Amino acid sequence: MQHQELVEKIDRLKKERNAVILAHNYQRDEVQAIADFTGDSLGLSITAAKTDADVIVFCGVHFMAETASILSPQKKVLMPDIDAGCPMANMITADELRTLKKEHPGALVLAYVNTSAEVKAETDICCTSSNALKVVESLPKDAEIIFVPDKYLGNFISTKTGRPFIMWNGYCPTHVKIRAEDIERRKADHPDAVVVAHPECTPTVLALADAVLSTEGICRYAKNSPAREIIVCTEVGVLYRLRNENPGKTFYPATEQATCPNMKKTTLEKVLWSLDRMQHEVKVPDDIREKALGAVNRMVDIT
Ligand code: 13P
Ligand code: SF4
């Protein structure tokens, strides 16, 4: 099918189903282009909670669709490719978190939103990369804090706030591909460029960054900064928006290797199929949803 025909069919079905298409900033360019809303994990959660559509087609990874289902149980949440998971989220299970909690009775659990609904059900409060500082500052000063699953985001927030965390040993396999040498090489070629990085990057990469931000924060920074050249240390999908929204500026990926294969699983063909068959539905079971909702709502309320 031709691209234009595909886009028109998606548009027609979307109206028929009263559906909204949400896409994460790491999605393929053509998927971002047809989305009604593109954003970071926090923006997507807030939009999923607010929309009055009957159907949400979630172009992202599994935990994001689950979060939409937690916040909007009355809506049908669809994923065009049900196998699009987040390897970092899969690095901790609910059983493992329960064991950790037993080892630290009384500690509060702060979970990055990149976790399964079952893990969220064992959590006191969630955070995303854009609100993690605010969330930590909202916690009682003397509380012991367990942070799961991303040790790099955890380390960044813990250093910024001066709060020690009991840390899980998870990480993002895509962001760890970005190395300090990649940035140094780019800097040598473009000495006037500023460096922005996602907090899932390693501390050696973050030490070279002028700003450490969520994907949406990176988009905002690019618009507002006087810099004409920006080296981007995160998944390469974000370059689509950066280039579209800032035609007068030049963006360099720290490395083209930083591609999340799961984020790229969603294609336009799968979006059309998903709307046509109303599949694959992601529905968090009520008992898990009720427990997880508190942790997600506490986060949304703070922001
Ligand atoms: P953001 O919330 O910054 O978009 O990040 C989500 C993610 O999965 C980063 O790898
Ligand atoms: Fe998960 Fe990393 Fe992919 Fe984000 S980029 S979805 S954290 S694997």
Side-chain angles (χ1 to χ4, degrees):
M1 204 184 298
Q2 292 290 313
H3 176 81
Q4 194 48 33
E5 194 186 347
L6 203 51
V7 173
E8 282 166 15
K9 282 194 170 172
I10 290 171
D11 207 42
R12 213 174 309 129
L13 264 183
K14 196 179 76 174
K15 286 185 186 118
E16 261 174 57
R17 308 279 197 220
N18 188 25
V20 67
I21 300 178
L22 307 187
H24 186 264
N25 288 323
Y26 296 159
Q27 288 290 291
R28 290 168 182 270
D29 297 0
E30 62 275 20
V31 173
Q32 293 193 45
I34 55 118
D36 296 294
F37 178 85
T38 309
D40 66 359
S41 304
L42 182 66
L44 291 167
S45 305
I46 293 171
T47 309
K50 276 197 197 148
T51 177
D52 50 15
D54 297 318
V55 178
I56 297 174
V57 180
F58 216 110
C59 305
V61 288
H62 197 259
F63 76 82
M64 296 178 176
E66 277 191 334
T67 307
S69 167
I70 291 168
L71 286 164
S72 292
Q74 72 291 359
K75 297 195 175 89
K76 208 181 245 304
V77 180
L78 302 176
M79 272 189 85
D81 188 323
I82 198 70
D83 293 327
C86 167
M88 181 215 278
N90 295 339
M91 285 179 189
I92 185 161
T93 64
D95 271 346
E96 287 169 327
L97 180 52
R98 279 189 283 269
T99 305
L100 187 63
K101 281 165 71 172
K102 274 195 198 124
E103 288 165 12
H104 302 277
L108 288 178
V109 179
L110 169 57
Y112 191 21
V113 75
N114 296 40
T115 41
S116 68
E118 284 190 335
V119 166
K120 289 188 178 76
E122 294 292 332
T123 291
D124 294 292
I125 187 162
C126 290
C127 70
T128 70
S129 54
S130 65
N131 63 15
L133 279 173
K134 259 192 183 168
V135 169
V136 172
E137 277 155 9
S138 78
L139 300 177
K141 292 274 171 290
D142 55 348
E144 236 194 324
I145 301 170
I146 294 173
F147 188 90
V148 298
D150 184 6
K151 63 178 170 186
Y152 294 128
L153 173 66
N155 179 62
F156 174 71
I157 302 298
S158 168
T159 308
K160 277 253 169 207
T161 56
R163 305 278 304 259
F165 293 160
I166 299 152
M167 203 85 81
W168 193 254
N169 190 21
Y171 61 90
C172 165
T174 297
H175 282 83
V176 298
K177 288 194 180 143
I178 303 170
R179 300 161 314 157
E181 300 92 277
D182 298 319
I183 302 163
E184 280 153 6
R185 201 174 315 119
R186 290 283 195 221
K187 272 291 232 186
D189 291 341
H190 310 285
D192 294 334
V194 298
V195 179
V196 292
H198 194 279
E200 288 176 16
C201 292
T202 62
T204 46
V205 166
L206 296 185
L208 297 174
D210 295 289
V212 178
L213 298 158
S214 78
T215 57
E216 199 59 33
I218 290 175
C219 292
R220 217 174 304 122
Y221 179 96
K223 271 191 195 162
N224 298 334
S225 161
R228 311 305 300 165
E229 295 180 289
I230 302 183
I231 298 166
V232 182
C233 307
T234 190
E235 210 273 352
V236 294
V238 78
L239 291 161
Y240 172 76
R241 264 188 68 190
L242 290 173
R243 288 174 176 150
N244 269 351
E245 291 175 2
N246 307 278
K249 299 185 180 182
T250 312
F251 298 92
Y252 310 104
T255 166
E256 301 279 359
Q257 301 287 312
T259 299
C260 174
N262 287 284
M263 282 285 183
K264 305 304 187 221
K265 281 187 175 156
T266 305
T267 60
L268 284 187
E269 285 81 359
K270 290 180 193 171
V271 172
L272 178 60
W273 175 87
S274 172
L275 275 165
D276 185 36
R277 303 287 173 90
M278 295 295 274
Q279 292 217 43
H280 297 278
E281 186 171 7
V282 174
K283 186 145 189 67
V284 175
D286 279 345
D287 53 334
I288 306 280
R289 190 190 90 80
E290 276 155 26
K291 288 196 217 152
L293 182 63
V296 177
N297 267 344
R298 263 167 239 131
M299 165 186 88
V300 172
D301 287 350
I302 283 171
T303 31

